[in-house]
Amino acid sequence: MSRISATFTALNGRPAYIPYICAGDPDEEFSLSLAKRLCDSGADILEIGIPFSDPIADGPVIQEAMQRSLKSGFHVGDVFRLIERLRSQSVPQPVVAMTYYNPILKMGPDKFCRSLSECGGDALLVVDLPPEESSSLLGMARDNELDMIRLVAPSTTDARLEYILSEASGFVYVVSVAGTTGERESLPESAISLIHRVSGKSRLPVALGFGISMPEHVRQAISAGASAVVEGSKLITLYSGLLDDRMKALESVERHAREMMAASFPH
Amino acid sequence: MIGSGYFDGFGGRYVPEVLISALQKLDEEYRRLSPDPEFKQRLNTLLTTYVGRPTPLYFAHRLTDRVGGAKIFLKREDLAHTGSHKINNAVGQALLAKEMGRRRIIAETGAGQHGVAAATASALMGIECEIYMGEVDAERQKLNCYRMNLLGAKLNIVKSGSRTLKDSINEAMRDYASSSEYTHYLIGSVVGPHPYPTIVRDFQSVIGREAKSQMQQITGGLPSALVACVGGGSNSIGLFHPFLEDAEVKIFGVEAGGEGVTTGKHSASVVAGSNGVLHGAKTLLIQDFEGQVLETHSVAAGLDYPAVGPEHAFLNKTGRAKYVAIDDSGALSAFHLLSETEGIIPALESAHAIAFAVELASDMSSDESIIVNLSGRGDKDVDQVARLEGSI
C-alpha cells in the first residue's frame, strides 16, 4: 500500500487537509520551514509545487510565487533536496510533487521519477499532462512506486471520467471550477456535483482543490463527500506580505491552517 | 487511447484537464464545418469581397536585377485587408466561432497584427472581442493598441512573466479555461494544443494554393524555392503546405537571429532550440537546461516567440524544409533594400525572409525562381526603424 493510501486508511473517514507550497518561494529555507510547520501542525499530506516559467493552470498568486522562486535561483532539481531535508527532519507525511510537464521532459521522465522516489516523494501530479499523453510517464511512476494523481474538472464528461479514473492512484484531485488556481468566495455547484460523480465511479479518496480558502469551503466540501481539501493560493497570500518577519509569516499560515483543519473535524 | 493531433511526435494536447472538453468540441465542430460546402462558400466570399483575395504574385524585377540570380516573386500578403496574412485565419476562425454560437472572442497578440486582425474579424461578425497583449509589446506598438480600441475590442494588458507574446498566450489560455462555454479562443499562429495548429494551417494554406496556381500561370511551372519568415510559423506554413508534395521545390523557413544565435538574444527556436512542451504542444523551444522557457529577442515583435508550430518542428526533422536565421541587422538592410528597389516597405518580420531570399537568389541561376511570402506591410515598423537609426 502506498503511503498516501495508508494515510487515508489511518484517517478512518476524517477528511484530510492538503496544503500546497511553492518550492523555493522566496527561497529554499523558507519553504523548508513552512513545510515543516504545516506538517507539525497536523497537515495530512503535503503538496510541493515545482516552479515553472509558464504556469497556465495557475492564477496570479501562484504564478508570482513561482517567479520569486526562479528569481532566487531555485532549480527544479533542488526540490529533491528539499524533500530529502524534510525527511531528515522526521516529517512522515506523504509528499506530492506538483509540476508542469516540460521540466520533467527536460530532466528525462525516468530520472525525474527515480529522483523523486529516492528523496522520499510519494506521488506525481502533472497539471498539463492529460492521460492521453502520459502512458510512458505512468509506467515510470509505477516502476518507482509513485502514485500518479489525476485531475478531473467540471467539464470532464462521464466517459472521460471513467478513462481518467482507470489510471488514477493515490487520490483523485477534483478541480472545483473551470479556471485557474486562486481564492474564490464560495464553492460552485459544479464542484459539488463533480464530487458526487467521481465518488460514484471510484473508490479512491476525492480531494477538492482550486479556490479553497475558508473553513466554510472545507465544511461544504466534506458535506458533499470529499475526503480531502487542497489549499494553496491563500497560504501564499498570507505569508507573502509578511516575509520581512518570517516568524510572523509562519505563525500566520499556521493559524489559518489550524482553522481549516478544525473545520474538517466532525462536529 | 493515444494522443491525437501529432505531426510524427510533435504537437499533441498538453493542457490542463479544464481545457480538454473545449478543445475536443472545437475539433469536432471544425471537422464538421470545414468540409461543409455552405461554410466554404461563406468563407470564400469573405476572402474575396472583404479580405481582398487573391493577393497578387508580383515579379520583383528591380530587386532581381539588383541581386543577379534567381527571379524573385513576392506573394503580396501585405495587400490583404489589415495589412498582413493574419486576417486569413482571423476571418476563418471568427466564422467558425459564429457557427459554433460563441458570443465572445479572445485572442493574444505580440506585435498587434493578429490583435488587429482578430478585432477586425470580430467586428465583421458582430462578436464581442478581448485581446491580451503584453505590457512590453503594448508599449512598443501603441498605434496598434489604438486600432484595436477603434475596432471595438477590449485590450487587456498582461503584466505577468516577461510581459510579451508568450505571456499573453498564457493569459488567454487561462481566460479560455474559465469561459470556453461561450468564448472562442482565436489563436493567431500554428501553435497551441491540437486542433489549433491544423485549423490555423488550413486557413492560411490559401496563400500557397494561390501562389501555386499564379506561378503556373506566369511561368508555366513550379518555383525552385519558397522562402518565408517563421515566428510561430503561420504565414510560412500557409505558403509551404500546398507545396509539400512537390519534392523539387526547396523550402526555407527564416527565423529571427536577433543579435546573433550565439548571443542568446534571438528567437530562433528551430535553429537553436530543443524539444519541449509549451502552450499545449510538444515542439522545439528556447529553454534553459532545466526546461524553464527563456526570454527571446528580435527586432520584429511578430517573431519574438520562444517556440514554433509543431508542424515546423516536424518538417525540420524530416528535412523537407530547411530553417535558417537572419539577424536584426540583416533584416534591417532588407527593409531598406525592398523599399528602395521596389517601392514596397515590408514588415520587419517579412524583411527576414527578403534578406535570406536575396542570399539564396544570388547563388542560383536566372532560370530559377523563388517565391517569398511578403507576409505584412511595414507601416507599423517605420517609427521603430526611424528611432533605431536615429532619424527621429
Side-chain angles (χ1 to χ4, degrees), chain A residues 53 55 58 76 102 133 160, chain B residues 6 13 174 277 290 292-293:
Chain A
S53 54
D58 286 296
V76 172
N102 201 46
E133 313 286 1
R160 190 173 164 78
Chain B
Y6 273 101
R13 194 179 269 158
R174 291 180 181 120
V277 167
E290 59 180 9
Q292 308 294 351
V293 181

Side-chain angles (χ1 to χ4, degrees), chain B residues 37-66:
Chain B
E38 213 171 298
F39 181 82
K40 280 162 118 174
Q41 180 59 42
R42 238 175 267 168
L43 179 59
N44 274 333
T45 305
L46 287 173
L47 290 178
T48 338
T49 61
Y50 185 77
V51 175
R53 306 207 69 89
T55 58
L57 183 69
Y58 166 72
F59 173 44
H61 59 98
R62 285 194 13 99
L63 179 65
T64 300
D65 285 349
R66 175 76 72 93

Side-chain angles (χ1 to χ4, degrees), chain A residues 7-113:
Chain A
T7 298
F8 278 105
T9 306
L11 283 169
N12 198 20
R14 177 176 74 74
Y17 176 64
I18 310 179
Y20 165 97
I21 68 163
C22 171
D25 174 34
D27 52 42
E28 185 175 330
E29 294 314 309
F30 184 77
S31 290
L32 184 68
S33 319
L34 180 64
K36 178 96 169 65
R37 189 77 167 242
L38 284 161
C39 290
D40 289 351
S41 312
D44 300 290
I45 295 171
L46 185 66
E47 206 176 288
I48 300 187
I50 299 175
F52 180 53
S53 54
D54 294 81
I56 54 171
D58 286 296
V61 170
I62 291 180
Q63 185 179 21
E64 279 162 27
M66 287 183 169
Q67 275 168 8
R68 283 192 296 265
S69 169
L70 291 172
K71 211 170 166 189
S72 80
F74 190 85
H75 293 292
V76 172
D78 297 344
V79 79
F80 305 126
R81 184 178 58 214
L82 176 64
I83 297 171
E84 210 167 66
R85 290 176 72 188
L86 270 175
R87 293 293 179 233
S88 73
Q89 294 186 19
S90 312
V91 170
Q93 279 90 339
V95 171
V96 179
M98 183 165 179
T99 177
Y100 288 79
Y101 188 46
N102 201 46
I104 296 181
L105 192 63
K106 196 69 185 168
M107 180 173 293
D110 192 34
K111 185 179 171 198
F112 188 95
C113 290

Side-chain angles (χ1 to χ4, degrees), chain B residues 128-255:
Chain B
E128 174 194 335
C129 179
E130 281 184 44
I131 307 288
Y132 288 92
M133 189 174 192
E135 194 174 30
V136 172
D137 290 333
E139 197 52 47
R140 54 185 175 187
Q141 294 287 344
K142 280 187 176 152
L143 197 59
N144 271 340
C145 296
Y146 178 68
R147 275 198 190 105
M148 290 180 256
N149 284 326
L150 199 59
L151 292 158
K154 183 183 168 212
L155 191 60
N156 299 316
I157 302 296
V158 178
K159 294 177 179 165
S160 57
S162 61
R163 298 172 290 140
T164 58
L165 178 59
K166 89 176 166 72
D167 307 280
S168 62
I169 296 179
N170 291 341
E171 220 47 66
M173 287 181 93
R174 291 180 181 120
D175 181 319
Y176 191 46
S178 63
S179 65
S180 65
E181 276 182 25
Y182 57 91
T183 299
H184 176 68
Y185 177 20
L186 203 170
I187 208 162
S189 192
V190 286
V191 300
H194 177 66
Y196 279 109
T198 303
I199 292 179
V200 179
R201 178 249 280 158
D202 289 354
F203 286 138
Q204 291 294 2
S205 292
V206 65
I207 302 172
R209 285 197 305 273
E210 285 177 8
K212 197 172 186 176
S213 82
Q214 288 165 325
M215 197 67 182
Q216 261 149 359
Q217 274 174 18
I218 301 170
T219 68
L222 291 167
S224 318
L226 305 174
V227 177
C229 64
V230 181
S234 71
N235 89 78
S236 46
I237 210 88
L239 176 65
F240 300 168
H241 201 261
F243 291 92
L244 290 179
E245 307 284 308
D246 304 306
E248 68 270 40
V249 180
K250 295 192 183 75
I251 297 179
F252 297 93
V254 186
E255 297 195 298

